[in-house]
Amino acid sequence: NQIKIRSFNWKETGYKIEHGVIAQELFDVAPDAVSEGDSNQEIERAWAVDVSTLVPAMIKAIQELKAEVDSLKQQLGK
């Protein structure tokens, strides 16, 4: 829940991202998924996100949600 999903356009190309994350924001929540870049005016190395490192956490969250839904269905007799 702490990961902010953003829509944005790349400055260089104008390419629109409908659902993405900002590396600097993600760093506070999942530092293992981020390669730090330069934070000054002269950017030689950009911040980068490796979303594949988030996949196991997403799978676990989906499993937990499914278990909760199954429990609620059972309580409702469905």
Side-chain angles (χ1 to χ4, degrees):
N1 287 338
Q2 296 174 330
I3 297 174
K4 297 176 184 174
I5 303 301
R6 306 284 191 184
S7 295
F8 55 89
N9 295 331
W10 284 101
K11 286 184 180 180
E12 291 179 356
T13 63
Y15 182 75
K16 183 169 179 70
I17 302 294
E18 289 293 330
H19 302 99
V21 294
I22 306 296
Q24 291 87 333
E25 293 176 353
L26 183 62
F27 185 76
D28 294 334
V29 179
D32 292 344
V34 177
S35 296
E36 286 186 73
D38 298 326
S39 295
N40 52 28
Q41 290 287 35
E42 298 296 322
I43 298 175
E44 293 182 25
R45 188 178 59 165
W47 286 69
V49 174
D50 179 5
V51 293
S52 69
T53 62
L54 300 175
V55 172
M58 290 188 305
I59 292 169
K60 181 66 176 163
I62 291 167
Q63 290 171 338
E64 290 170 355
L65 286 170
K66 183 181 182 319
E68 186 174 351
V69 167
D70 290 347
S71 174
L72 291 170
K73 281 182 175 180
Q74 187 176 29
Q75 290 174 29
L76 293 172
K78 292 186 175 194

